Amino acid sequence: MNLLDSLARLRLFRFEFFDTGAAYRAATARLDQINALVGVCMFNARVSRAQPAFIWGIISLLLYVYLAFESTIWYRDNIDKLMMCITTHGFSLQMASKVYTFILNRNRVIEINEINLKYFGTSGRKAASQLECLKPSAKIANILITMTIFGYVTLTSLIIAIPVIYGLIVSKKVLPMGYEVVHSTEWPGYIVNLLFQINCMIYVSLTTITSDGTFILFLMSAIGQIDAILGRLSEFSEQLKQTDDDEQITGNLKQILRLHQHHQRYMRKLDDLFSTYFMIAIISLYFCMSVCLASFLLLNWYMGILMFCFSSAQIFFMCFLGTALQTKAEQMLHEVDSLSWHQLSVQNQKVAVLFLAAVQNPISLTAAMVELNVATYLQIHKSVYSACMFLLRSKE
């Protein structure tokens, strides 16, 4: 029993759909249900962005940025509060990049979504084996989106609840974050600060769920396209052993080439959409992780661990799916290389050479010329750890 079958035993990860098009539409509908809570719609151009919830979210973001800097200056002589305030600067930059990439610049998101709807909407004209190849990526996309929703909701709830519960236990007013609307230790000021921080954390959490969920959905669609190409390559390999019909072989080979050309165009659009966002996200989250871990080690700020996990989870999705995409691309290269090219006609061999050359140069996800994969994820964490160990040695 594979991992998908194991997870399917749990009701939470059980998804029933007639075809991959239905699975894709169900995933976008789930994300738009969450989008509606913050007053946005990423996948439908007819829905106006001038929604009260979205306007309030932008106002909250602007206030968040201002209060983060104002509180940093206010608490410049209090090292504990200062470190908590500094942590928020990285999140504000990352949130601004999310709002720009997925909401203000949503035309590109809508364009990619329409490409996927058209691709999965032609299921009736696809071979049965090709449809079967698309199912695993559709299931994984829904599973990852579910894990994203529950993971971020859990982390956000803990970030909000733990300081409040701890404060009640020790009879001390403790806030989850460092920025404040009112610099007061009295109950009215504490309640105002707590409510605004909860408002910001909810907005950050929901926006992070939908942006990361959209990224997961688009990347799993790209992986599904490669699976479909692999399925056709497998059929083509069997066909070479069973028939000498050159016209039929030519038709199937050109169809596989068209599938790969579609995949390449799709990956270029993904790279155009996400490249700048990846660069800003990696830099800002790296900053947040470094400050959070340093605050935990030097100041015993235990909330830093939760904030570290929140930042690390966002980088993980980028790098994990980047590795999955690279693995599939290598698998496709191996499949193409193992075909019996000597059985093809001279004309088909020329087409095959073009196909092989294209497969050898896959388009991968990058952030500032750095490929996003598990190795990059580990290198980021290693760099954060090394910087924090240097601070500890300096302190000693």
Side-chain angles (χ1 to χ4, degrees), residues 186-199:
E186 301 300 324
W187 276 108
Y190 173 76
I191 292 173
V192 169
N193 291 328
L194 180 62
L195 290 177
F196 183 74
Q197 290 189 11
I198 291 175
N199 164 76

Side-chain angles (χ1 to χ4, degrees), residues 225-226 228-234 236-237 240 249-250 252-264 328-329 331-339 341 344 347-362:
Q225 292 171 19
I226 297 179
I229 295 172
L230 289 172
R232 296 308 302 270
L233 283 171
S234 180
F236 183 70
S237 182
L240 290 179
I249 291 174
T250 301
N252 288 336
L253 182 59
K254 288 183 177 179
Q255 187 177 20
I256 294 172
L257 185 59
R258 284 195 296 270
L259 287 174
H260 185 260
Q261 289 171 344
H262 170 83
H263 172 71
Q264 285 188 310
K328 286 293 181 181
Q331 186 179 349
M332 182 167 59
L333 175 59
H334 176 75
E335 191 73 23
V336 173
D337 192 51
S338 63
L339 289 175
W341 301 114
L344 299 175
Q347 181 181 357
N348 286 336
Q349 286 181 1
K350 292 179 181 179
V351 177
V353 168
L354 294 175
F355 186 29
L356 182 60
V359 171
Q360 287 176 335
N361 295 284

Side-chain angles (χ1 to χ4, degrees), residues 63-83:
L63 286 173
Y64 174 94
V65 173
Y66 167 75
L67 293 173
F69 280 99
E70 193 273 339
S71 297
T72 300
I73 297 172
W74 182 270
Y75 289 113
R76 61 187 179 276
D77 296 325
N78 186 332
I79 187 63
D80 293 344
K81 288 277 191 178
L82 180 63
M83 294 299 286

Side-chain angles (χ1 to χ4, degrees), residues 81-94:
K81 288 277 191 178
L82 180 63
M83 294 299 286
M84 292 175 65
C85 292
I86 291 176
T87 305
T88 61
H89 296 318
F91 287 118
S92 63
L93 178 63
Q94 192 216 7

